[in-house]
Each structure stands twice: as C-alpha cells, then as structure tokens.
Amino acid sequence: MKTYFTVIIIGYLFGCLQWSYILSKTFLNVDIRTLGAGNAGASNTVISIGWKLGVLVAILDILKAIISIFIIKHLFKISFIEENYFLLYLNGLFVILGHDFPFFMKFKGGKGAASLLGMLIGIDYKLGILGFFIILIITLVTDYIALGTLGLNLFLALSAYLYYGMNSVLISLILFFIAIYLHMPNIKRILIKEEKGLRGVLKKKAKTI
C-alpha cells in the first residue's frame, strides 16, 4: 500500500507542474485558461499565444512525465517485469491526472497529450518515438491535434496489451476515456466543422509575427 501511495503522490505532484499556466502567468501576466480553448495545455498555448511558447510548454510537460517515471524506476529498481511495470503506468496515470486536474488551479488544467507522450518515453523510449510519429502523422493528416491525441491514447492501450499485461491495459483505457471526456467539445466542433485546424492557426499566427 505504501508503494502505491508513493507512486501516486510523486506522479500527481509532478503533473501539477502546470507549465502553460506558470509561464503565461509569469511572462505575460495572463491566465492561459481565459484564452482560446480555455484550458491550460501546450496545444492551447500554441493556438492562443504562439508556437514558440507552445513548444516550450510541450517539452516541459513531456519532461515532467519522463522524470517522474524515471524516479519510480530508480526507487523501485524496476526491470522488464509485468507486475513492476504496472507501477510505471500507475505513476503516468497520476502525472496526467495532476496535469488535467491540478489542485491549486481548482482542478482545471490541460488535456495531457504532451505528458502522455512523456509517459510513453519514460516507459520505453522506442514506444515514445513511435508515439511521437503517431500523434504527428494523425495531426498532420486530419489537421486536428485532438484526433492525434486520441490516436496516441489508443497506441498506449495497444502497446500495454502487447507488452505489459492487463493491469497496464486497464490504466491505458482509463486514460483513453479521460481523453475522450476532455476532448468531447473538440470532437463536437470537428463534426460540425467548427474546430480550428492546426494549419490555419499556425498560418494566422505567422501573419501576425
């Protein structure tokens, strides 16, 4: 029980490092949640402020998940064993829960795409590389980050099924349903063709520079 509690607390506290909120508040004196899609995440930072700050936020959100998982690997000396790898998935789940629902922001954070990618990299860098290309290709083909994120969630579940056992699959499915819940407004706007595409947003930002 103490092991699970440690894994959960470390994950949640790292997840609460809400870089889009921290950086936008520090340097621009603005709450990112009042802009664009109304959430604190890398994609909304790109859309609302610009790609430079958005990329920095994405990198930091990826890193917080990687560092959290590496700490768990070190603490519990985790090797390629199904039961132990469940701790990495549990830690990753709470990193993303901390990102999506940070306690100091009244539980209104981001949507966890970058941290999910960081979780994959932390578990196995080869899966992380594949995950990066999956979210990139789906986003470029469809023009929607939301669909790329859902594709990444499905890849997490598939890789867990193939390599890490049913407990890890269960956590992956929890993350997938959380992603669907958080992206439901985006999905509805995509269906009625009102969602802003990434290419259009970047072109518009480029014209204002």
Side-chain angles (χ1 to χ4, degrees), residues 7-209:
V7 168
I8 287 168
I9 290 298
I10 289 173
Y12 185 77
L13 291 179
F14 266 94
C16 284
L17 292 171
Q18 245 301 342
W19 291 112
S20 61
Y21 176 82
I22 293 168
L23 294 179
S24 63
K25 200 74 174 171
T26 300
F27 295 109
L28 301 173
N29 195 29
V30 64
D31 184 342
I32 186 66
R33 296 171 299 172
T34 65
L35 304 176
N39 68 79
S43 59
N44 193 40
T45 306
V46 170
I47 291 169
S48 303
I49 296 175
W51 69 268
K52 292 180 182 178
L53 188 62
V55 168
L56 176 59
V57 167
I59 291 170
L60 291 172
D61 283 345
I62 289 169
L63 283 174
K64 71 184 182 186
I66 293 174
I67 293 169
S68 182
I69 285 177
F70 275 14
I71 288 172
I72 299 305
K73 279 185 175 180
H74 176 73
L75 280 178
F76 300 102
K77 296 178 172 50
I78 292 175
S79 59
F80 197 90
I81 301 172
E82 176 185 317
E83 289 79 9
N84 281 347
Y85 258 71
F86 168 70
L87 297 180
L88 302 185
Y89 277 79
L90 183 64
N91 180 257
L93 168 63
F94 277 86
V95 169
I96 293 167
L97 286 174
H99 176 84
D100 294 348
F101 310 106
F103 70 93
F104 69 98
M105 293 166 59
K106 297 181 179 179
F107 303 99
K108 186 181 178 184
K111 296 181 180 179
S115 294
L116 182 67
L117 181 58
M119 174 183 171
L120 266 171
I121 295 170
I123 291 169
D124 185 333
Y125 75 91
K126 296 185 288 294
L127 292 178
I129 292 170
L130 282 172
F132 171 77
F133 282 108
I134 284 170
I135 191 171
L136 179 65
I137 291 168
I138 293 175
T139 299
L140 290 177
V141 169
T142 65
D143 201 25
Y144 297 118
I145 297 174
L147 297 183
T149 301
L150 294 179
L152 182 62
N153 273 272
L154 286 174
F155 174 69
L156 178 74
L158 177 62
S159 62
Y161 175 75
L162 292 174
Y163 300 114
Y164 300 116
M166 292 311 297
N167 287 334
S168 298
V169 172
L170 177 61
I171 286 182
S172 300
L173 291 175
I174 291 171
L175 286 169
F176 177 64
F177 288 118
I178 290 171
I180 289 178
Y181 169 73
L182 293 175
H183 285 91
M184 192 57 69
N186 305 84
I187 294 168
K188 289 178 179 178
R189 288 195 295 269
I190 289 170
L191 291 174
I192 60 175
K193 303 186 186 308
E194 290 184 357
E195 178 78 344
K196 293 180 180 178
L198 180 62
R199 285 188 288 271
V201 169
L202 292 178
K203 285 179 183 177
K204 185 177 180 181
K205 289 291 179 185
K207 289 178 181 177
T208 62
I209 296 174

